[in-house]
Amino acid sequence: MSAQELTIAALQAWLTRYGQAWEQRDPAQAAALFTENAPYHEMPFDAPKAGRAGIRDYWTTVTADQRDVDFKSQVVAVNGRTGVARWSASLKSASSGARVELDGVFVLQFDASGLCSELREWWHVRMP
């Protein structure tokens, strides 16, 4: 990524790495995609996860019961250092055996090095 702006290719590459981290249920790999102090807003009315440590802790908890994760994403828009993407995931709950489908949107801010400096997401869940 250039120091000035995010490209579609750079955003897609970041989303691919995010998806790999989720599919592998790898909290350290996920946290490494973010700046040291990045806020991770999973829910709009909750306090964000704080920085890499908070993101790693969140991912450790949230992915613990997930199996067979399949993540997909599509870039919607890029403007300056901001990217918007639509994503979906399907996974299996290990504890219940239920299949879960998620559909969401990311608004992502990036620093000049290509790390995410802020994540905001909105998502919905369906359990068929």
Side-chain angles (χ1 to χ4, degrees):
M1 170 183 345
S2 80
Q4 296 304 312
E5 64 182 51
L6 178 66
T7 65
I8 291 171
L11 178 53
Q12 190 58 61
W14 187 92
L15 290 164
T16 297
R17 291 190 303 276
Y18 183 95
Q20 290 167 343
W22 194 354
E23 289 172 347
Q24 296 167 13
R25 298 174 32 241
D26 187 334
Q29 184 180 344
L33 296 169
F34 294 86
T35 59
E36 188 63 39
N37 298 312
Y40 188 114
H41 301 269
E42 185 214 5
M43 296 287 178
F45 298 112
D46 293 348
K49 284 48 173 169
R52 281 191 190 140
I55 293 166
R56 187 176 43 255
D57 291 347
Y58 165 71
W59 271 61
T60 298
T61 301
V62 79
T63 64
D65 192 51
Q66 298 176 350
R67 301 292 182 273
D68 304 324
V69 177
D70 181 25
F71 176 85
K72 294 185 178 14
S73 63
Q74 177 183 11
V75 173
V76 173
V78 170
N79 184 10
R81 291 191 185 168
T82 302
V84 179
R86 180 162 182 210
W87 61 269
S88 63
S90 65
L91 55 97
K92 181 180 175 183
S93 166
S95 59
S96 71
R99 198 80 195 143
V100 177
E101 295 177 11
L102 301 164
D103 188 7
V105 174
F106 288 140
V107 176
L108 307 162
Q109 299 289 326
F110 289 86
D111 72 0
S113 73
L115 293 176
C116 184
S117 58
E118 182 175 23
L119 176 145
R120 290 183 180 272
E121 68 179 329
W122 296 265
W123 54 271
H124 293 276
V125 63
R126 175 171 63 176
M127 298 175 71

